[in-house]
């Protein structure tokens, strides 16, 4: 494409088939836009701007091999939209990419960077790992100039399609969870904690088994875990453990169960005292995840637990390395609320309002 200064004399002499695109809005005497920037200068548009008060307009001439921003944006957005991502209609030069389901945003950051290195293309997303509801905008694609080379658009399509897209949503997997509470709490407090956790789990499309209370004894804890496993629990949450105590019964129970303690303590706050373990697969069940946290009060408070839960329920197996990466952004102040699930309308993300 090449720039073009359009005068009134040039407008009258333009061939009717000239591929000319306005680079600025044209307004009438009342200030109303009669021709928008980025629009082709059609015969109807020429008649409209001929009546406006102007002496010179800026435009661009499309040359062979150029693609208008509308078509280029449509092609790029279609290519980068991966699993469970849909493309919305263009608004203000942007093509929105939206989640087709609740889930966890998964960005191919290498692909994203390669596409953004191409001249004239801008693709911007939410953070990788962000939890989103259905129909949330997770990314936008934009063609910065009014047109780009077809070769550039084709290269962006090739980069994205080689990876099956650059922007994906990992759908939540319906899971049966169980909570074992070892704190010395009254029945009302236990019921409230269980209700809050049940509401959170339900947001992901999962279910929570009836609450279990266990005394701080490793044999009884191990028995409780076996019981809920027999009932089909794939995720077991142990609340009320004492993670800093190496002789805490929960650790002895994990040893009795043959569990692998993946990580003790998280590089994030609040919730730094959480631990995560895996129960080995058996002939009748697959590997199960066990999370330990010091207080069932963390069910109501937004904490690192609310960062782990979505990833686990999206089918991710968390390793020590992935958990170690939580340290970057692990200072979970109120400014970090956007990282948590929106469990309930009217509450801050990550929290359930007390009733």
């Amino acid at each position: 494409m090449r720039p073009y200064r359009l005068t009134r004399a040039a407008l009258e002499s333009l061939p009717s088939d000239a591929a000319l695109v306005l680079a600025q809005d044209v307004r009438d005497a009342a200030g109303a836009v009669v021709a928008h920037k980025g629009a082709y200068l059609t015969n109807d548009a020429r008649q409209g701007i001929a009546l406006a008060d102007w002496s010179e307009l800026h435009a661009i001439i499309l040359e062979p091999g150029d693609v208008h921003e509308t078509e280029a944006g449509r092609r790029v957005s279609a290519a980068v939209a991966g699993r469970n991502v849909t493309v919305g209609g263009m608004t203000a030069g942007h093509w929105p990419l939206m989640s087709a389901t609740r889930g966890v945003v998964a960005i191919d950051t290498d692909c994203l960077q390669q596409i953004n290195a191409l001249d004239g293309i801008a693709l911007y997303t939410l953070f990788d790992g962000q939890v989103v509801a259905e129909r949330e905008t997770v990314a936008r694609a934009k063609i910065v100039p009014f047109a780009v080379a077809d070769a550039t658009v084709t290269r962006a399509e090739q980069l994205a399609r080689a990876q099956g897209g650059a922007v994906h949503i990992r759908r939540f997997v319906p899971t049966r969870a169980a909570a074992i509470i070892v704190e010395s709490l009254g029945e009302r407090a236990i019921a409230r904690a269980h209700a809050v956790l049940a509401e959170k789990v339900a947001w992901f499309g999962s279910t929570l088994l009836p609450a279990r209370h266990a005394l701080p004894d490793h044999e009884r804890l191990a028995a409780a875990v076996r019981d809920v496993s027999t009932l089909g629990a794939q995720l077991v949450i142990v609340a009320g453990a004492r993670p800093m105590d190496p002789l805490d019964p929960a650790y002895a129970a994990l040893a009795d169960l043959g569990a692998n303690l993946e990580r003790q303590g998280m590089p994030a706050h609040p919730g730094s005292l959480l631990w995560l373990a895996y129960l080995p697969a058996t002939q009748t069940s697959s590997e199960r995840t066990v999370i330990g946290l010091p207080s069932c009060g963390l069910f109501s408070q937004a904490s690192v637990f609310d960062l782990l839960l979505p990833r686990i329920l999206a089918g991710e197996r968390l390793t020590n390395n992935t958990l170690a990466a939580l340290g970057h952004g692990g200072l979970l102040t109120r400014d970090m609320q956007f990282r948590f699930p929106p469990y309930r309308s009217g509450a801050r993300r990550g929290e359930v309002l007390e009733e």
Side-chain angles (χ1 to χ4, degrees):
M1 66 179 181
R2 56 189 175 86
Y4 186 77
R5 294 180 185 273
L6 184 63
T7 63
R8 287 189 175 274
L11 177 65
E12 295 175 358
S13 63
L14 274 176
S16 60
D17 61 349
L20 205 69
V21 175
L22 288 171
Q24 64 186 103
D25 291 334
V26 182
R27 300 178 182 273
D28 61 18
V33 177
V34 296
H36 290 273
K37 63 182 178 182
Y40 279 105
L41 194 57
T42 62
N43 289 330
D44 287 344
R46 293 183 193 191
Q47 294 175 11
I49 68 173
L51 301 176
D53 183 19
W54 57 275
S55 58
E56 178 183 280
L57 294 177
H58 296 170
I60 59 170
I61 295 178
L62 299 190
E63 299 177 303
D66 287 338
V67 182
H68 187 271
E69 62 169 328
T70 299
E71 175 62 13
R74 183 194 65 77
R75 288 170 55 183
V76 171
S77 58
V80 300
R83 296 181 305 278
N84 301 313
V85 174
T86 61
V87 180
M90 185 183 74
T91 56
H94 304 258
W95 290 84
L97 280 69
M98 296 173 291
S99 55
T101 182
R102 291 181 181 183
V104 177
V105 176
I107 306 298
D108 187 325
T109 53
D110 289 338
C111 182
L112 177 69
Q113 184 170 344
Q114 291 179 67
I115 290 173
N116 280 326
L118 299 174
D119 188 32
I121 296 180
L123 176 61
Y124 30 97
T125 75
L126 297 182
F127 282 116
D128 180 66
Q130 175 75 37
V131 181
V132 292
E134 186 177 0
R135 300 295 295 171
E136 280 196 50
T137 298
V138 298
R140 290 184 184 272
K142 179 176 175 60
I143 306 303
V144 178
F146 295 111
V148 291
D150 180 73
T152 300
V153 179
T154 299
R155 179 56 179 158
E157 291 174 314
Q158 291 171 340
L159 288 168
R161 288 178 175 150
Q163 304 302 322
V167 182
H168 309 272
I169 302 296
R170 295 205 314 273
R171 187 190 299 270
F172 296 124
V173 180
T175 301
R176 184 172 290 186
I180 299 172
I181 299 174
V182 297
E183 290 180 310
S184 298
L185 298 176
E187 290 186 7
R188 185 174 180 180
I190 292 175
R192 176 57 188 158
H194 190 267
V196 170
L197 180 59
E199 184 173 348
K200 289 189 174 186
V201 168
W203 190 86
F204 301 100
S206 295
T207 56
L208 187 66
L209 293 171
R212 289 294 185 99
H213 187 275
L215 295 175
D217 173 84
H218 78 276
E219 292 182 349
R220 297 192 183 193
L221 276 174
V225 173
R226 290 191 186 97
D227 287 345
V228 295
S229 297
T230 301
L231 294 174
Q234 300 151 287
L235 169 64
V236 181
I237 301 162
V238 179
R242 298 189 299 274
M244 296 182 67
D245 182 357
L247 298 179
D248 184 74
Y251 296 132
L254 291 176
D256 287 353
L257 296 164
N260 169 48
L261 182 61
E262 186 71 29
R263 185 177 177 99
Q264 181 180 0
M266 302 293 160
H269 178 78
S272 60
L273 297 183
L274 271 70
W275 50 256
L276 184 139
Y278 291 102
L279 297 173
T282 66
Q283 292 182 343
T284 58
S285 65
S286 58
E287 184 181 64
R288 288 143 294 160
T289 306
V290 186
I291 296 178
L293 59 164
S295 170
C296 63
L298 286 180
F299 296 157
S300 296
Q301 180 185 15
S303 72
V304 69
F305 173 76
D306 299 279
L307 296 184
L308 302 185
L309 190 61
R311 296 172 67 172
I312 293 169
L313 296 182
E316 183 178 354
R317 190 187 191 282
L318 301 175
T319 66
N320 181 54
N321 284 338
T322 56
L323 295 171
L326 292 173
H328 184 201
L331 187 58
L332 302 177
T333 63
R334 288 197 174 187
D335 293 334
M336 289 288 189
Q337 292 289 331
F338 70 92
R339 299 183 61 190
F340 299 124
Y343 294 121
R344 187 190 291 190
S345 177
R348 288 192 296 269
R349 292 181 74 111
E351 297 182 1
V352 173
L353 288 176
E354 295 290 340
E355 297 177 347

